[in-house]
């Protein structure tokens, strides 16, 4: 049997980027290494969602003429955390907001905060440690897991419709370019 080289392009958010694992341990790197005739290119972008996946596909991936496009969909935040359009810049929609929430709240108990907010040292430690206080982590996960509720809350149902509409558009782009998805 003769195998031809397969061009495989991946779209996704931080799940595809894999910022918490080394490049060698990223699932797309492992996939490319396990199949010798597979050329894997990771077009993942942290904090992206279905709308951005479609734009990346149209602007960058289709030019590569891949044999296969994989969309790594992370159901909770790909549905609940749509990147804002200019008129809907509500930071409460994003995990990063909850990461820094205690520093953003004027009445947050933080001994290192002054009238101007937290010190650079406090923020640097928060970024370095990379952890949320338990109450903020629980709040964030409750927000994300609302996509699993039955019945689905109306606001989450709207977000599902938006995400699925963007995925249908992405499928249409693939179909118009004869790309396998």
């Amino acid at each position: 049997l003769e195998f031809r080289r397969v061009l495989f392009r991946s779209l996704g958010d931080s799940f595809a980027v894999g910022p918490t694992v080394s490049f060698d341990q990223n699932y797309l790197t492992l996939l490319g290494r396990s199949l010798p005739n597979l050329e894997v290119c990771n077009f993942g972008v942290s904090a992206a969602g279905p709308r951005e996946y479609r734009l990346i596909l149209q602007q960058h991936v289709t030019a590569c003429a891949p044999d296969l496009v994989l969309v790594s969909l992370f159901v909770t935040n790909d549905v609940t955390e749509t990147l804002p359009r200019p008129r809907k810049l509500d930071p409460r929609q994003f995990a990063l907001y909850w990461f820094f929430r205690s520093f953003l709240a004027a009445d947050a108990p933080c001994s290192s905060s002054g009238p101007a907010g937290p010190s650079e040292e406090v923020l640097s430690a928060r970024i370095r440690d990379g952890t949320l206080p338990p109450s903020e982590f629980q709040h964030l996960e409750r927000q994300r897991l609302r996509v699993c509720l039955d019945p689905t809350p109306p606001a989450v149902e709207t977000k599902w419709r938006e995400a699925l509409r963007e995925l249908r558009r992405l499928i249409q782009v693939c179909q118009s370019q004869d790309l396998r998805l």
Side-chain angles (χ1 to χ4, degrees):
L1 291 172
E2 189 175 322
F3 293 99
R4 68 181 185 92
R5 188 136 184 90
V6 176
L7 304 177
F8 178 89
R9 304 299 183 250
S10 173
L11 296 166
D13 60 4
S14 59
F15 187 75
V17 173
T20 60
V21 298
S22 68
F23 177 79
D24 286 347
Q25 293 301 308
N26 181 291
Y27 74 99
L28 295 167
T29 304
L30 295 171
L31 178 64
R33 196 179 303 133
S34 68
L35 301 170
N37 290 331
L38 184 67
E39 178 184 307
V40 177
C41 287
N42 186 346
F43 284 84
V45 175
S46 291
R51 182 182 65 214
E52 292 74 34
Y53 303 161
R54 179 179 52 84
L55 295 172
I56 294 166
L57 173 71
Q58 290 174 306
Q59 295 173 4
H60 303 288
V61 176
T62 56
C64 300
D67 296 304
L68 180 67
V69 175
L70 170 72
V71 178
S72 300
L73 191 66
F74 195 72
V75 173
T76 58
N77 67 319
D78 274 344
V79 172
T80 61
E81 295 179 23
T82 304
L83 286 174
R85 291 182 170 103
R87 293 185 184 191
K88 295 188 179 183
L89 293 172
D90 182 355
R92 293 171 296 179
Q93 297 180 58
F94 303 97
L96 190 58
Y97 169 84
W98 295 103
F99 185 75
F100 288 108
R101 181 175 176 267
S102 64
F103 297 118
L104 297 173
D107 58 348
C110 183
S111 60
S112 300
S113 286
S119 69
E120 187 174 320
E121 180 181 306
V122 171
L123 288 175
S124 294
R126 187 72 176 266
I127 292 169
R128 183 187 63 246
D129 296 342
T131 59
L132 289 170
S135 63
E136 291 175 24
F137 175 77
Q138 290 168 358
H139 175 77
L140 176 62
E141 290 307 308
R142 271 193 305 276
Q143 293 296 105
R144 287 180 168 173
L145 290 172
R146 290 182 5 202
V147 301
C148 302
L149 292 176
D150 187 18
T152 306
V156 176
E157 183 65 37
T158 299
K159 289 179 179 282
W160 267 111
R161 280 194 301 274
E162 290 172 13
L164 293 171
R165 181 177 60 244
E166 290 300 337
L167 289 171
R168 279 191 295 277
R169 289 177 178 165
L170 187 144
I171 291 167
Q172 290 170 345
V173 170
C174 286
Q175 289 171 338
S176 73
Q177 300 286 325
D178 287 327
L179 298 175
R180 290 175 56 200
L181 177 64

